[in-house]
Amino acid sequence: MTRLRLGILISGRGSNMQRLLDASSEPDFPAKPVIVLSNRIDAEGLETAKAHGVEGMAVPHANFETREAFEHAVDTALQAHGVEIIALAGFMRVLTPWFVRRWQSRMINIHPSLLPKYPGLKTHARAIEAGDAEAGCSVHWVTEGVDEGGVIEQARVPVKAGDTPETLADRVLLAEHELYPRALAKACRIISERPAR
Ligand code: GAR
């Protein structure tokens, strides 16, 4: 079985990243994490990656004059590690069309809503405000429009009476942890089964 070399991009806590690393420790999981990159030097997830024996690297966006210069540095690190698929896991920077095109059909993201509902931020508050009976999370291919790419897999949770954005976020996060490894495995299979270019 082909195991695709996985790069994970984070900005903070990294609980989804941790679930991907846990899943990847199974020998038949179709991805092998080779690097975790953070745009924030103080991201908790960098330590978690190191504890799992995966290289964690900070590329602080604030050190670069332009978005493109930051992304070139990220891209160089990914290429140097032979990355074949990128999973964004709580990576909170919007990517430029240059980077998105470079990794087209090889980059996925997890988003805390049932896309196409609620792209962008404050997804849980918006679901509660709208009176939705259910919320959830989506894993999708990354395209130039923010949170607009094709959905790979979704998971649903109920919105309960009295939910706050925080209680709903906790319930959705548990669903994310279950969803992301499954959706990453599916994306790897899709990539591996594509005819070689
Ligand atoms: C997750 O809920 C993820 O869906 C969300 O940030 C959180 C990161 O948590 N991502 C976005 O909102 C992307 N637009 P984590 O660092 O513990 O995985």
Side-chain angles (χ1 to χ4, degrees), residues 1-4 6 20 23-24 28-32 84-87 105-109 137-141 150-155 178-194:
M1 187 207 40
T2 319
R3 297 190 80 194
L4 295 184
L6 169 67
L20 299 184
S24 306
D28 60 348
F29 192 78
K32 173 186 160 60
E84 296 169 294
I85 180 169
I86 298 175
S105 308
R106 293 184 295 150
M107 177 159 55
I108 66 175
N109 179 45
C137 45
S138 309
V139 175
H140 64 95
W141 297 103
V151 169
I152 299 165
E153 291 262 352
Q154 292 183 317
E178 190 272 324
L179 174 70
Y180 211 0
R182 185 157 48 87
L184 170 61
K186 182 172 172 183
C188 287
R189 284 194 295 273
I190 292 170
I191 291 173
S192 298
E193 285 165 14
R194 275 187 202 133

Side-chain angles (χ1 to χ4, degrees), residues 19-20 75:
R19 295 305 294 231
L20 299 184
D75 186 63

Side-chain angles (χ1 to χ4, degrees), residues 46-197:
L46 285 176
E47 291 308 316
T48 315
K50 286 176 197 161
H52 276 73
V54 176
E55 182 177 345
M57 183 188 290
V59 182
H61 65 269
N63 289 0
F64 297 86
E65 289 204 350
T66 63
R67 264 179 203 279
E68 284 80 3
F70 161 68
E71 290 178 359
H72 272 278
V74 170
D75 186 63
T76 299
L78 293 168
Q79 302 289 350
H81 286 77
V83 166
E84 296 169 294
I85 180 169
I86 298 175
L88 306 181
F91 182 70
M92 302 309 276
R93 303 285 298 170
V94 172
L95 294 163
T96 67
W98 173 79
F99 191 89
V100 172
R101 278 191 217 122
R102 194 159 170 78
W103 289 93
Q104 190 165 16
S105 308
R106 293 184 295 150
M107 177 159 55
I108 66 175
N109 179 45
I110 188 155
H111 181 75
S113 80
L114 293 171
L115 292 172
K117 271 193 166 181
Y118 314 130
L121 300 174
K122 299 195 189 312
T123 55
H124 309 300
R126 287 153 74 198
I128 292 170
E129 175 89 356
D132 292 353
E134 60 177 11
C137 45
S138 309
V139 175
H140 64 95
W141 297 103
V142 177
T143 56
E144 288 179 36
V146 174
D147 302 325
E148 280 181 12
V151 169
I152 299 165
E153 291 262 352
Q154 292 183 317
R156 293 166 188 276
V157 301
V159 179
K160 296 186 178 172
D163 259 340
T164 63
E166 292 73 26
T167 58
L168 182 56
D170 288 346
R171 195 173 309 121
V172 171
L173 189 65
L174 291 177
E176 292 183 45
H177 291 166
E178 190 272 324
L179 174 70
Y180 211 0
R182 185 157 48 87
L184 170 61
K186 182 172 172 183
C188 287
R189 284 194 295 273
I190 292 170
I191 291 173
S192 298
E193 285 165 14
R194 275 187 202 133
R197 275 181 293 179

